[in-house]
Amino acid sequence: SSGINAEYGQIWPGNWGLPSTDPQCLTVITYCRMCGFDLPTAVVPGTWNGRRLPVLTLSESGEYLETPQNIINLLISRDSIQMDHHLSERNKSEAVALTSM
């Protein structure tokens, strides 16, 4: 179990060995990887319901979160995930800088 009830992120396609070429998508993916959390993702080619990506789909409500900061804040708020509890103070400051871009 991922700890987020089968929620998953939709991202733009990647290239050059990257999971996505979009900076916003990479922000979410990088933050999750820094925290050791494997966020399930689905690559969305072209447009997706007119929404901006990345998008995190919330399975329990059917809602969507559309900005990296909103996605990361939700993941941090989930006690079952404990996203950044194991990070050092330096890693936490790097994560803040990453999500502030």
Side-chain angles (χ1 to χ4, degrees):
S1 168
S2 67
I4 56 173
N5 300 321
E7 288 136 349
Y8 63 97
Q10 289 98 36
I11 60 173
W12 294 120
N15 203 344
W16 308 294
L18 296 170
S20 176
T21 55
D22 178 73
Q24 302 295 318
C25 295
L26 287 173
T27 296
V28 173
I29 293 165
T30 302
Y31 184 81
C32 289
R33 287 185 179 173
M34 283 178 67
C35 294
F37 180 69
D38 185 25
L39 177 68
T41 57
V43 174
V44 179
T47 61
W48 182 78
N49 287 342
R51 297 187 184 277
R52 297 178 359 193
L53 295 181
V55 170
L56 181 70
T57 302
L58 307 177
S59 61
E60 70 267 7
S61 65
E63 295 178 73
Y64 304 98
L65 295 176
E66 296 183 347
T67 67
Q69 193 61 52
N70 287 343
I71 293 168
I72 291 167
N73 285 342
L74 174 78
L75 295 174
I76 289 171
S77 73
R78 297 283 175 103
D79 289 333
S80 59
I81 298 174
Q82 298 185 351
M83 286 289 285
D84 59 2
H85 293 255
H86 69 284
L87 296 178
S88 69
E89 290 304 314
R90 179 180 176 172
N91 290 138
K92 286 181 184 180
S93 64
E94 289 171 347
V96 168
L98 173 71
T99 59
S100 297
M101 293 181 172

